Amino acid sequence: MEDRSHKVLLALVMLFLFAVIVLQYVCPGTECQLLRLRALSPAAAADPYRAEDETPARFVPRFNFSAGDLLRRGDFNIKGDDLIVFLHIQKTGGTTFGRHLVRNIQLEQPCECRAGQKKCTCHRPGKRETWLFSRFSTGWSCGLHADWTELTNCVPSVVDSKKEVRLRPSRDRQREQTSIQTSEKNENAAWVPQAAPGARSTAGVKRLLGSAEGENFYYITILRDPVSRYLSEWRHVQRGATWKASLHVCDGRSPTTEELPSCYTGDDWSGCSLQEFMDCPYNLANNRQVRMLSDLSLVGCYNLSVMPEEQRNKVLLDSAKENLKRMAFFGLTEFQRKTQYLFEKTFNMNFISPFTQYNSTRASSVEIDEQTQQRIEALNFLDMELYDYAKDLFLQRYQYMRQKEHQEARRKRQEQRKILRAKQAHLREQGENSS
């Protein structure tokens, strides 16, 4: 009896080994095994991107976008002249995202970040020039929290000036490099506009989609729910933040004190109540996201007398929507994992660690009544409309990219099945010939 059980066990082992050998022959490598393991694993059943937020399983779009608006796969060439430009809007989670860009991306040549220094060196592989224009790589080179109007005029000038330095003879280059290093010791060292009032450079706009020289500027940004962002800015200002170093350059100059009065007297507005914060008619926190994403030169910059308020608001909102849609990428603070996914698909860059969704913030800890909520929404009515538009576009892009990914995976599975069937047919033919 014992000998019989041993024989059965031996037969089962031999059958298993034979099956493994056949599987290795018809499907070499680990692709088939890994595909089956993934399909059987519990992690495959759960969608990590859906679990992060309260998005319904079936998202119903409100706006009509073309396939070109939804497909964002830029041929970003980190070894060439392409440059990612990060437009950092205050209190949108931009600091966290900016750190991801310099510390959390898998690169052939990772950014060099030294302890105690705010800026990292993000050079292209084999070159001494940056592929990233952001607070944590180049500093505030175009001014503290430069907006779309400033960046699209300033970035080409900054990039071209650095190229000129590299092309100069060595002695002049060393002298110029010393000057640059001295100026960059202050992180807030900013671009000084040279254009005459009324002048408008379109270089940055043209390069937004590419240029004849083969140089592309890939503009990106992060948006946030307007009420949460507004409350977060109030808490930040209450603690003493001012952003007084911001230039607000438009059409070659900064606004006058008459065009942009201050909400407070003294060094800062620390300790201000939410009521005081809302009552200031000049508060740049109001509709900040629309203002920083629109082309301010279309409305006479900060001169409110150029056109009626209703017309000005419409022009600003339309401009912000169009610029946002044309950007290479934008993310939403409320959708961290989806933001990570879309960035990775857009630029073909992968992050090392997954993004974390923080639902507990300083803004979320502020309890406001319904009347205050409505007042903040009214003060930020342009931002509210822009965010609805952005959220719809963002989720449509995510849905579109996921569908493309599933279609590609299905196509690969079909190709693997064809190869498997061909090998099985070849084995049967060999068996018949040998018999």
Side-chain angles (χ1 to χ4, degrees), residues 43-53 336-338 354 398 402:
D47 187 345
Y49 301 105
R50 185 177 297 168
E52 70 162 351
D53 51 59
Q336 289 293 313
R337 292 296 299 276
K338 290 182 176 67
Y398 168 76
R402 291 283 278 179

Side-chain angles (χ1 to χ4, degrees), residues 138-383:
T138 56
W140 301 113
S141 300
C142 290
L144 181 63
H145 286 286
D147 57 31
W148 190 92
T149 306
E150 292 174 293
L151 285 176
T152 52
N153 281 277
C154 162
V155 173
S157 302
V158 172
V159 172
D160 291 343
S161 65
K162 290 185 177 181
K163 280 189 175 181
E164 289 176 4
V165 170
R166 290 195 300 272
L167 294 174
R168 287 176 187 173
S170 58
R171 186 176 300 176
D172 292 342
R173 187 163 61 246
Q174 288 174 358
R175 189 183 302 116
E176 186 72 22
Q177 190 65 30
T178 302
S179 175
I180 291 176
Q181 290 174 350
T182 301
S183 65
E184 286 186 347
K185 286 182 179 179
N186 180 4
E187 185 191 13
N188 292 337
W191 159 70
V192 178
Q194 300 297 327
R200 171 66 177 161
S201 169
T202 59
V205 182
K206 290 178 180 177
R207 295 191 194 182
L208 182 67
L209 299 176
S211 68
E213 296 86 356
E215 183 174 42
N216 297 325
F217 294 161
Y218 292 80
Y219 286 82
I220 66 174
T221 194
I222 301 291
L223 298 183
R224 186 180 182 183
D225 168 74
V227 175
S228 298
R229 198 214 64 78
Y230 189 85
L231 290 171
S232 181
E233 180 164 341
W234 163 61
R235 292 295 298 269
H236 198 57
V237 169
Q238 193 181 46
R239 296 192 301 272
T242 62
W243 298 299
K244 286 189 293 187
S246 297
L247 300 175
H248 306 299
V249 173
C250 177
D251 283 351
R253 67 176 180 86
S254 295
T256 63
T257 54
E258 290 77 19
E259 292 173 331
L260 190 60
S262 176
C263 285
Y264 57 90
T265 58
D267 294 335
D268 56 45
W269 206 5
S270 57
C272 73
S273 66
L274 179 56
Q275 188 65 46
E276 292 172 329
F277 194 74
M278 293 188 294
D279 287 344
C280 178
Y282 321 112
N283 195 342
L284 289 178
N286 300 341
N287 296 309
R288 179 181 288 280
Q289 294 178 105
V290 165
R291 178 180 60 79
M292 292 188 68
L293 288 173
S294 61
D295 183 355
L296 295 177
S297 65
L298 297 175
V299 295
C301 302
Y302 293 88
N303 185 353
L304 302 183
S305 64
V306 171
M307 63 180 66
E309 182 180 2
E310 185 175 351
Q311 181 184 357
R312 176 186 175 89
N313 290 338
K314 185 180 186 308
V315 172
L316 287 175
L317 180 59
D318 290 345
S319 176
K321 287 181 178 179
E322 183 64 22
N323 291 337
L324 185 71
K325 184 176 68 174
R326 292 178 61 207
M327 279 185 168
F329 161 84
F330 72 88
L332 298 180
T333 306
E334 289 73 23
F335 301 92
Q336 289 293 313
R337 292 296 299 276
K338 290 182 176 67
T339 293
Q340 175 183 351
Y341 173 83
L342 286 176
F343 182 92
E344 291 177 340
K345 294 300 179 182
T346 300
F347 292 102
N348 195 26
M349 292 179 173
N350 293 321
F351 290 97
I352 300 169
S353 302
F355 288 13
T356 304
Q357 186 69 48
Y358 293 107
N359 293 320
S360 178
T361 62
R362 288 191 175 93
S364 65
S365 65
V366 179
E367 294 184 3
I368 56 175
D369 55 32
E370 186 177 349
Q371 185 178 1
T372 303
Q373 169 93 12
Q374 292 175 353
R375 174 83 190 280
I376 294 174
E377 291 177 357
L379 289 170
N380 293 274
F381 71 102
L382 295 177
D383 273 10

Side-chain angles (χ1 to χ4, degrees), residues 109 121 123-130 166 177:
Q109 182 174 326
T121 302
H123 283 160
R124 308 179 191 277
K127 295 183 179 180
R128 293 187 62 80
E129 57 184 51
T130 188
R166 290 195 300 272
Q177 190 65 30

Side-chain angles (χ1 to χ4, degrees), residues 31 35 412-421:
E31 290 84 357
L35 283 171
K412 288 182 178 180
R413 287 196 301 269
Q414 290 172 349
E415 289 180 355
Q416 287 176 344
R417 290 192 190 102
K418 287 180 181 179
I419 295 172
L420 184 60
R421 284 195 294 266

